[in-house]
Structure formats: structure tokens, C-alpha cells
């Protein structure tokens, strides 16, 4: 595997490991310590910038929604970006289809995040799935 290919593969693994640790395992402190760089810029309108804001938000989500889960459907990497297509399950709420975009710094740490979420409807206008 070429060096650039290994970097892309490592970034995909790290994005999924980060997401799994903070979301499925409800360990945002550990996720940030292991996978986030010196800064963390957030574009989700409900989460403030910074590592502590991220930790606070996902600590609250873990308390409010025990048993929440994410399943990765696709991981795509280009340059220093990783895009994850995810199926989120929140107890007591509808399921969500999500796209998360992570920017990695040169040392392989996450420094920026964007996401878009859409409720998975009960009925679809086609025979496809959301995934």
C-alpha cells in the first residue's frame, strides 16, 4: 500500500474509532484525548466549538439517551477529509441517516467536523433504503 493510501486508510479507521468511542461507548473524554488535535472546530449548530464543548454535549447525550447507537454504512477519504455515512439509533426517537465530515491535521488528529442529519421515514417514495 502506498504511503498516501495508508494515510487515507488510517484516517478512516480513526474517524470510525473516534465516533464509536464517543457515541456507542459513551466515552467522549477518551475519544477526544485519543483522536482530536489541538483545536476542534464544530459546524453542528447545536454544539459549540472546542474539545470541552464536545465532551459536555456528548456526556449529556449519553445520560439522556442510554443505548444510542451508530452503525457505519460507508467511509470515504480524500486528502485530509473523511466522510462517514451513518445510521443513528436513538432510544425513543426516530432513526437518523447521517453524513459526518471530519478534517484531519497532518499528524492524523481530527480538528474540524460538519454533519447533516435526516430522519429515516417509515415510508419511502421508492423501493430503496436510506443506506
Amino acid at each position: 500500500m502506498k504511503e498516501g493510501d495508508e494515510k487515507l486508510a488510517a484516517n478512516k479507521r480513526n474517524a470510525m474509532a473516534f465516533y464509536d468511542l464517543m457515541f456507542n461507548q459513551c466515552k467522549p473524554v477518551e475519544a477526544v484525548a485519543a483522536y482530536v488535535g489541538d483545536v476542534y472546530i464544530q459546524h453542528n449548530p447545536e454544539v459549540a466549538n472546542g474539545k470541552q464543548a464536545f465532551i459536555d454535549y456528548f456526556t449529556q447525550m449519553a445520560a439522556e439517551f442510554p443505548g444510542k447507537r451508530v452503525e457505519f454504512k460507508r467511509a470515504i477519504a480524500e486528502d485530509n477529509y473523511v466522510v462517514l455515512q451513518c445510521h443513528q439509533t436513538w432510544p425513543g426517537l426516530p432513526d437518523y441517516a447521517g453524513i459526518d465530515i471530519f478534517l484531519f491535521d497532518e499528524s492524523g488528529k481530527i480538528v474540524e467536523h460538519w454533519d447533516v442529519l435526516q430522519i429515516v421515514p417509515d415510508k419511502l417514495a421508492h423501493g430503496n433504503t436510506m443506506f
Side-chain angles (χ1 to χ4, degrees), residues 14-90:
N14 288 339
M16 290 185 284
F18 168 74
Y19 207 143
D20 177 68
L21 191 57
M22 68 85 174
F23 199 94
N24 291 336
Q25 299 179 50
C26 300
K27 296 180 179 179
V29 173
E30 293 87 341
V32 166
Y35 298 104
V36 173
D38 291 337
V39 299
Y40 187 75
I41 300 168
Q42 178 63 258
H43 295 275
N44 180 313
E46 296 184 19
V47 185
N49 279 328
K51 297 180 201 182
Q52 191 58 52
F54 176 89
I55 290 167
D56 293 345
Y57 181 82
F58 279 98
T59 298
Q60 179 183 343
M61 292 300 99
E64 291 180 16
F65 299 98
K68 66 182 175 23
R69 299 288 304 162
V70 65
E71 179 184 353
F72 305 113
K73 298 298 187 174
R74 287 174 185 78
I76 301 164
E78 179 179 89
D79 298 325
N80 287 344
Y81 292 91
V82 172
V83 178
L84 300 178
Q85 182 188 28
C86 303
H87 181 184
Q88 294 183 358
T89 304
W90 295 79

